[in-house]
């Protein structure tokens, strides 16, 4: 996800994954970046809130490095922009799992309807590599009953919706005036 910003809905999702999985991996990228939610900031939020989560924040330099290490040309000319189609994002994440993580994943956790298609596309990507992987989709709080917020709502007015951000995350958006 973009985790722009990391909000309590994301945290619910991550805690659920931590409760059900031996290892939790979060892949995050955003082109363009949302102000205040740049990769270094997202990394700090995760380190503060979820230090055991394996965080993957790919850069263009990373893509070059991984391709050179594998001795192949880059399968993705660039990190997909936010408005790229769903299939491109899903295959990109499949590529990251294969090239960075070294193998298939077992589950995709989301609070969105697209999660099932995301899991199916990643499973298909793995099978194309010869891995007999099964990727399950775990839907968490789809109706937003536990945490009734979405990233786009927060980005529209962070300060009005600050109750949906942990103190560590919200503090990064508070300007200090002397």
């Amino acid at each position: 996800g973009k985790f722009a910003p990391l909000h309590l809905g994301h945290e619910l999702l991550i805690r659920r994954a931590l409760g059900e999985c031996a290892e939790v991996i979060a892949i995050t990228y955003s082109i363009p970046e949302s102000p205040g939610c740049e990769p270094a900031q997202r990394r700090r939020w995760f380190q503060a809130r979820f230090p055991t989560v394996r965080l993957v924040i790919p850069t263009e330099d990373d893509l070059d490095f991984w391709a050179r290490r594998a001795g192949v040309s880059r399968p993705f000319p660039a990190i997909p922009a936010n408005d790229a189609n769903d299939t491109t994002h899903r295959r990109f994440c499949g590529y990251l799992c294969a090239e960075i993580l070294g193998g298939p994943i077992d589950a995709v956790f989301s609070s969105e309807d697209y999660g099932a298609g995301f899991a199916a596309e990643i499973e298909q990507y793995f099978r194309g590599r010869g891995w007999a992987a099964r990727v399950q989709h775990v839907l968490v709080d789809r109706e937003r009953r536990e945490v009734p917020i979405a990233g786009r709502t927060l980005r529209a007015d962070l300060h009005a919706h600050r109750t949906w951000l942990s103190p560590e995350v919200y503090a990064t958006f508070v300007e200090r005036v002397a």
Side-chain angles (χ1 to χ4, degrees):
K2 289 187 254 322
F3 302 109
L6 177 67
H7 59 71
L8 296 183
H10 295 130
E11 293 196 21
L12 173 69
L13 192 72
I14 294 165
R15 281 193 307 280
R16 173 86 181 270
L18 286 167
E20 294 185 22
C21 301
E23 180 182 25
V24 174
I25 300 154
I27 296 173
T28 177
Y29 61 92
S30 182
I31 307 292
E33 293 289 350
S34 296
C37 302
E38 292 77 13
Q41 188 59 60
R42 292 195 308 272
R43 184 173 304 284
R44 285 190 289 274
W45 294 335
F46 269 86
Q47 287 170 340
R49 303 295 295 164
F50 300 102
T52 62
V53 169
R54 185 173 177 188
L55 188 61
V56 177
I57 306 175
T59 66
E60 294 298 330
D61 289 341
D62 292 336
L63 295 181
D64 287 337
F65 173 77
W66 298 323
R68 281 193 310 275
R69 183 181 66 195
V72 298
S73 61
R74 271 178 60 166
F76 287 87
I79 295 171
N82 296 342
D83 60 359
N85 66 52
D86 289 346
T87 301
T88 299
H89 284 287
R90 293 166 180 180
R91 289 182 181 164
F92 181 69
C93 288
Y95 167 77
L96 294 176
C97 290
E99 295 306 316
I100 298 172
L101 307 172
I105 58 172
D106 300 312
V108 169
F109 285 71
S110 83
S111 295
E112 304 289 345
D113 292 331
Y114 67 71
F118 188 90
E121 184 71 37
I122 288 182
E123 181 177 304
Q124 182 178 353
Y125 184 91
F126 294 152
R127 289 178 187 238
R129 295 183 59 91
W131 294 328
R134 186 111 169 72
V135 181
Q136 133 188 23
H137 174 236
V138 180
L139 186 62
V140 178
D141 196 27
R142 171 62 186 105
E143 289 77 30
R144 305 291 198 281
R145 288 191 180 115
E146 292 182 62
V147 183
I149 194 68
R152 66 187 154 278
T153 303
L154 271 167
R155 286 187 294 275
D157 189 345
L158 281 164
H159 301 292
H161 301 290
R162 66 181 166 267
T163 57
W164 302 111
L165 298 171
S166 71
E168 294 91 342
V169 173
Y170 182 64
T172 64
F173 294 101
V174 177
E175 294 183 31
R176 298 180 194 273
V177 179

